[in-house]
């Protein structure tokens, strides 16, 4: 469904209107066609939105019609002709109830005959895309009518929360990923029992969840700009709504289910509470304005996985993501360093990031989170030596010596020189900075493009030692080892010695 904007409100993306109103049947429509229309928006005083137009796209939109007298049911694909939405190939007669989208009517809806109290299910999550600056969103509606009238008017089941998101982060465009609305006192989604006995329909009861989310794609907000997203919620009365916004600074989203937890770089998470000044009823809209900026509290969260980069680790095409930093331990608590170039200054019970082989776990899920694992020695080897293209480079990043790993499809940011790619030994190099030397600002751009940095611990000469998951016998285990002039993915190390640990998650 595509929703166009009125010229006076360029920031508005969506209303809870899904069909163009049709004045009368057209001679160009099939003889047995039923035209579809919607009630007009109430335009309450709490919003100044006027004259927005809406239309069916006709592609893949389906309504289900339930014939009350003979208990028959049809799923029909919406068609569009001369600006009119309709369904054809009609059978049955008498009273009819209709539901859009077809999925909202409960499975029992067709089996309970001419009931005046059907049950519909309002989703707790909506998938929404943008096309030509228009939000594409299937919003729940119901209708009742008579087949002989050849016209059905749909009515909206939900209220509308219009969230206007402003980007006040100077110089940085934001990709908007998800908006989550929740309430501790009200149900915002779930099952609703409708009462069709009155001239209009009403909600007899509702059961469900106190949360609803809209998952977005294709929504970029330039610095200083704003975007408006429509969130459908059940009519809830008066009270407070919690509004959470998830966005990221740059790059492509890896995966998102409801609330996203995997991003390319920093995830900006904004948390506001808005009070409803008056009753929020069906077909009523309220507006919440939220300006995103770094100074807010909380300003942003650092995700567990910071890159959208994919590293192939074997001939079978298995790919992994790297964790956001090296593993560290405080007492008995395991966690990740916040930055890829961070290292522990001392190695003590208060904080350490070098570990003997005996602490390399076969079950990181119970210690650091589900899905984390060590690379095998052959997988380190594949990343370093087998893949084609830009694979690695030694470098000094923000004053820290280490090894940069580049993902399968890496593109170096414009204006940042990259030298000595895939070079193990640069004979005239006296320092890691002779290979490459990047500032923290330059690294931020490279990290956003997918680069991974393995820092060398505090040791003379800047050597890096990273455990693999393979024991090599004779009280030794294999590790990734690098120094100013060496690089080996399968180097054996005595198990009682301490090395760094960098975990990965399988991406496919």
């Amino acid at each position: 469904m595509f929703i166009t904007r009125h010229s006076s409100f360029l920031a508005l993306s969506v209303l809870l209107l899904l069909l163009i109103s049709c004045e009368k049947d057209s001679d160009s429509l099939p003889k047995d066609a039923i035209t579809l229309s919607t009630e007009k928006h109430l335009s309450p005083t709490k919003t100044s939105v006027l004259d927005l137009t809406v239309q069916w796209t006709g592609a893949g939109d389906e309504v289900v019609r339930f014939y009350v007298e003979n208990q028959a049911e049809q799923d029909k694909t919406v068609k569009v002709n001369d600006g009119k939405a309709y369904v054809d190939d009609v059978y049955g007669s008498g009273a009819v109830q209709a539901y859009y989208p077809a999925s909202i009517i409960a499975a029992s809806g067709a089996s309970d005959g001419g009931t005046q109290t059907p049950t519909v299910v309002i989703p707790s999550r909506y998938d929404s895309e943008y096309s030509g600056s228009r939000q594409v969103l299937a919003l729940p509606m119901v209708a009742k009518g008579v087949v002989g009238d050849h016209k059905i008017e749909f009515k909206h089941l939900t209220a509308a929360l219009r969230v206007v998101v402003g980007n006040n982060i100077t110089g940085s465009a934001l990709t908007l990923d998800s908006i989550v609305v929740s309430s501790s006192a009200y149900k915002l989604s779930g099952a609703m029992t409708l009462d069709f006995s009155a001239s209009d329909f009403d909600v007899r009861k509702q059961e469900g969840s106190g949360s609803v989310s809209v998952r977005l794609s294709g929504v970029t907000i330039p610095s200083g700009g704003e975007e408006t997203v429509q969130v459908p919620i059940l009519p809830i009365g008066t009270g407070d709504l919690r509004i959470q916004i998830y966005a990221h600074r740059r790059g492509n989203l890896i995966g998102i289910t409801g609330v996203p937890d995997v991003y390319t770089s920093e995830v900006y998470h904004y948390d506001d509470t808005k009070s409803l000044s008056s009753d929020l009823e069906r077909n009523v809209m309220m507006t919440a304005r939220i300006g995103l900026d770094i100074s807010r509290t909380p300003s942003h969260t650092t995700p567990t996985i910071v890159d959208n980069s994919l590293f192939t680790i074997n001939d079978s095409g298995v790919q992994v993501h790297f964790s956001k930093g090296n593993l560290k331990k405080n007492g008995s608590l395991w966690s990740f360093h916040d930055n890829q170039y961070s290292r522990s200054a001392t190695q003590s019970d208060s904080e350490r990031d070098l570990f003997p082989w005996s602490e390399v776990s076969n079950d990181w899920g119970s210690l650091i989170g589900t899905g984390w694992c060590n690379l095998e020695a052959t997988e380190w080897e594949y990343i370093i030596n087998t893949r084609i293209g830009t694979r690695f480079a030694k470098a000094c990043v923000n004053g820290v010596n280490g090894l940069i790993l580049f993902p399968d499809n890496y593109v170096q940011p414009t204006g940042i020189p990259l030298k000595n790619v895939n070079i193990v030994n640069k004979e005239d190099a006296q320092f890691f900075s002779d290979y490459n030397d990047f500032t923290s600002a330059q690294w931020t751009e490279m990290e956003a493009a997918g680069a991974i940095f393995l820092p060398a611990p505090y040791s003379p000469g800047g050597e890096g030692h990273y455990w693999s998951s393979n024991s090599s016998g004779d009280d030794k285990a294999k590790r990734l080892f690098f120094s100013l002039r060496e690089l080996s993915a399968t180097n054996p190390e005595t198990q009682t010695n301490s090395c760094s640990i960098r975990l990965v998650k399988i991406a496919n």
Side-chain angles (χ1 to χ4, degrees):
M1 241 173 251
F2 290 92
I3 299 184
T4 62
R5 308 178 184 199
H6 187 267
S7 59
S8 299
F9 298 91
L10 295 179
L12 185 62
S13 303
V14 175
L15 282 178
L16 288 180
L17 300 174
L18 294 174
L19 307 172
I20 284 183
S21 295
C22 303
E23 298 299 327
K24 60 181 180 178
D25 294 344
S26 169
D27 293 339
S28 62
L29 299 183
K31 186 176 181 180
D32 58 353
I34 294 181
T35 56
L36 308 176
S37 64
T38 60
E39 61 186 343
K40 295 189 181 298
H41 198 277
L42 298 181
S43 296
T45 56
K46 65 184 70 175
T47 176
S48 59
V49 177
L50 300 171
D51 300 329
L52 289 179
T53 59
V54 256
Q55 69 184 54
W56 294 90
T57 65
D61 291 331
E62 284 196 347
V63 299
V64 58
R65 290 178 292 127
F66 174 67
Y67 294 90
V68 176
E69 279 82 359
N70 58 12
Q71 303 182 29
E73 184 179 8
Q74 284 182 307
D75 284 343
K76 304 299 294 184
T77 300
V78 178
K79 301 179 181 180
V80 178
N81 190 356
D82 292 337
K84 294 180 173 62
Y86 70 96
V87 294
D88 61 8
D89 191 23
V90 176
Y91 68 81
S93 61
V96 62
Q97 296 168 7
Y99 305 86
Y100 175 84
S103 58
I104 67 171
I105 183 65
S108 61
S111 62
D112 51 12
T115 177
Q116 294 298 308
T117 56
T119 300
V120 299
V121 179
I122 307 300
S124 60
R125 195 190 86 185
Y126 295 80
D127 293 325
S128 179
E129 297 181 355
Y130 268 63
S131 177
S133 298
R134 296 178 295 181
Q135 189 178 3
V136 183
L137 194 64
L139 301 177
M141 298 186 297
V142 298
K144 66 176 183 177
V146 178
V147 172
D149 292 344
H150 285 265
K151 190 170 186 177
I152 294 179
E153 181 184 58
F154 280 90
K155 298 179 181 293
H156 305 296
L157 285 172
T158 55
L161 178 64
R162 188 177 65 166
V163 182
V164 182
V165 183
N167 177 10
N168 301 322
I169 300 178
T170 305
S172 295
L174 288 178
T175 298
L176 192 59
D177 298 310
S178 181
I179 294 181
V180 181
V181 180
S182 56
S183 169
S184 60
Y186 304 101
K187 306 299 184 185
L188 304 186
S189 61
M192 298 172 59
T193 301
L194 303 181
D195 186 351
F196 278 105
S197 60
S199 58
D200 198 355
F201 73 88
D202 199 358
V203 178
R204 174 168 291 190
K205 66 177 182 178
Q206 63 187 60
E207 299 176 354
S209 168
S211 177
V212 63
S213 66
V214 173
R215 185 177 75 167
L216 301 159
S217 61
V219 187
T220 300
I221 312 176
S223 177
E226 65 179 26
E227 189 58 82
T228 302
V229 175
Q230 194 77 14
V231 180
I233 57 179
L234 292 184
I236 65 170
T238 304
D240 291 340
L241 292 178
R242 181 185 180 190
I243 303 170
Q244 299 179 80
I245 298 175
Y246 293 81
H248 65 277
R249 188 188 289 267
R250 61 170 72 235
N252 295 321
L253 192 65
I254 297 172
I256 170 175
T257 55
V259 177
D261 61 359
V262 182
Y263 293 86
T264 64
S265 56
E266 284 184 310
V267 179
Y268 291 81
H269 171 207
Y270 299 86
D271 196 338
D272 257 4
T273 299
K274 298 294 182 182
S275 179
L276 305 184
S277 58
S278 60
D279 286 350
L280 186 60
E281 301 173 350
R282 180 179 65 83
N283 206 14
V284 169
M285 195 165 55
M286 70 166 289
T287 299
R289 302 191 69 92
I290 298 178
L292 308 187
D293 61 71
I294 294 177
S295 64
R296 294 183 48 137
T297 303
S299 60
H300 65 272
T301 57
T302 304
T304 304
I305 297 174
V306 297
D307 64 289
N308 66 331
S309 51
L310 295 171
F311 289 78
T312 301
I313 60 173
N314 56 35
D315 288 333
S316 298
V318 174
Q319 294 177 307
V320 299
H321 302 295
F322 278 85
S323 64
K324 66 179 181 179
N326 282 358
L327 201 60
K328 65 177 181 178
K329 189 177 184 183
N330 301 76
S332 60
L333 178 64
W334 295 84
S335 61
F336 295 115
H337 278 296
D338 290 335
N339 295 308
Q340 296 205 52
Y341 49 74
S342 295
R343 305 165 299 174
S344 297
T346 60
Q347 301 296 320
S348 64
D349 287 341
S350 60
E351 182 179 307
R352 59 194 177 97
D353 56 11
L354 298 175
F355 309 98
W357 170 257
S358 60
E359 292 191 88
V360 176
S361 174
N362 290 323
D363 181 20
W364 288 111
S366 62
L367 300 175
I368 196 66
T370 303
W372 293 110
C373 60
N374 281 86
L375 287 170
E376 297 180 1
T378 56
E379 294 167 343
W380 280 118
E381 175 75 19
Y382 198 97
I383 288 174
I384 297 296
N385 294 323
T386 305
R387 297 179 306 145
I388 62 173
T390 303
R391 302 188 303 277
F392 67 87
K394 296 177 181 179
C396 181
V397 173
N398 193 35
V400 178
N401 296 330
L403 181 70
I404 299 176
L405 303 179
F406 300 104
D408 295 349
N409 299 305
Y410 181 75
V411 177
Q412 179 71 1
T414 303
I416 303 178
L418 176 61
K419 304 177 294 181
N420 301 303
V421 172
N422 303 339
I423 300 298
V424 172
N425 180 18
K426 185 176 184 292
E427 293 185 359
D428 61 346
Q430 299 298 313
F431 307 97
F432 273 73
S433 57
D434 293 329
Y435 287 90
N436 290 280
D437 193 7
F438 300 115
T439 66
S440 59
Q442 290 174 320
W443 173 248
T444 296
E445 292 195 48
M446 293 175 63
E447 181 182 56
I452 294 297
F453 185 62
L454 304 179
Y458 289 96
S459 64
E463 295 179 350
H465 312 258
Y466 284 79
W467 285 124
S468 73
S469 60
N470 301 98
S471 171
S472 59
D474 300 325
D475 297 322
K476 292 185 178 182
K478 293 184 179 180
R479 59 173 177 165
L480 170 70
F481 168 75
F482 61 84
S483 65
L484 186 66
R485 302 196 181 280
E486 297 179 75
L487 176 59
S488 172
T490 58
N491 192 283
E493 178 60 73
T494 302
Q495 293 184 7
T496 54
N497 290 340
S498 293
C499 297
S500 302
I501 296 176
R502 190 62 169 268
L503 299 183
V504 299
K505 272 188 176 181
I506 304 298
N508 55 359

